[in-house]
Amino acid sequence: MMKSGYRENIQWLILVSVAGIYGYYFSKVLPPSGQDITGEQILLFGSMVVLLVVINIIGTIVLVSMEKFREPENDERDKLIALKGNSMAGWVLVVGVCFGIYCAWSQPGNFWVMHALLAGLVASQMVDSLTRIWHYRRGF
């Protein structure tokens, strides 16, 4: 079995933290209690963003300490993998934005528009991380 590298581990951290935190967020706000976003939902979203940042900072510190205190240099392979991940994520984000526009047109209020856009953003980040992990595992 291939040993995971620093950049792959960072992608795992991002993937798990985004999936866990926004999975929890969506489980709390769905199904909607009205047509518009409530103050409690905005507060919950803000606290989830802060939690995501804190988890990723602490996780990165732990990963750096496990990797002998230094981040490896970006080589051509890392740049190509990042490019492929960003490309796939961009397409997912476009679909999410189109769905958000559809929700703006077809649904009253702002609840579905905002959450469709957020879901597109979350899905694009997860696709970016999954694509990068796949390429690191594949030995691109």
Side-chain angles (χ1 to χ4, degrees):
M1 180 170 205
M2 188 171 115
K3 182 181 180 278
S4 298
Y6 171 79
R7 296 198 195 293
E8 181 184 344
N9 288 336
I10 290 290
Q11 293 305 315
W12 278 111
L13 171 65
I14 293 168
L15 178 66
V16 169
S17 62
V18 166
I21 287 171
Y22 287 109
Y24 175 79
Y25 172 79
F26 283 117
S27 75
K28 290 296 182 186
V29 299
L30 293 174
S33 58
Q35 294 178 350
D36 292 320
I37 295 175
T38 65
E40 294 84 25
Q41 292 167 342
I42 293 170
L43 185 61
L44 177 62
F45 174 74
S47 63
M48 294 294 102
V49 169
V50 170
L51 182 60
L52 181 66
V53 169
V54 169
I55 287 173
N56 281 294
I57 288 172
I58 292 170
T60 301
I61 291 169
V62 168
L63 288 174
V64 167
S65 69
M66 293 170 48
E67 294 290 331
K68 302 179 184 176
F69 299 103
R70 79 175 198 59
E71 179 181 348
E73 293 291 323
N74 257 351
D75 60 8
E76 290 300 315
R77 177 179 163 255
D78 291 323
K79 291 176 184 174
L80 186 59
I81 288 172
L83 180 66
K84 291 193 176 283
N86 289 336
S87 176
M88 294 294 291
W91 285 108
V92 173
L93 186 57
V94 165
V95 170
V97 168
C98 289
F99 185 62
I101 292 169
Y102 170 77
C103 288
W105 173 72
S106 67
Q107 300 294 318
N110 65 12
F111 180 87
W112 288 110
V113 175
M114 298 306 293
H115 286 96
L117 294 173
L118 178 60
L121 183 62
V122 169
S124 72
Q125 179 58 62
M126 292 175 65
V127 165
D128 181 32
S129 291
L130 284 168
T131 302
R132 291 179 190 214
I133 290 167
W134 185 78
H135 282 296
Y136 280 122
R137 285 283 165 171
R138 185 175 156 213
F140 195 104

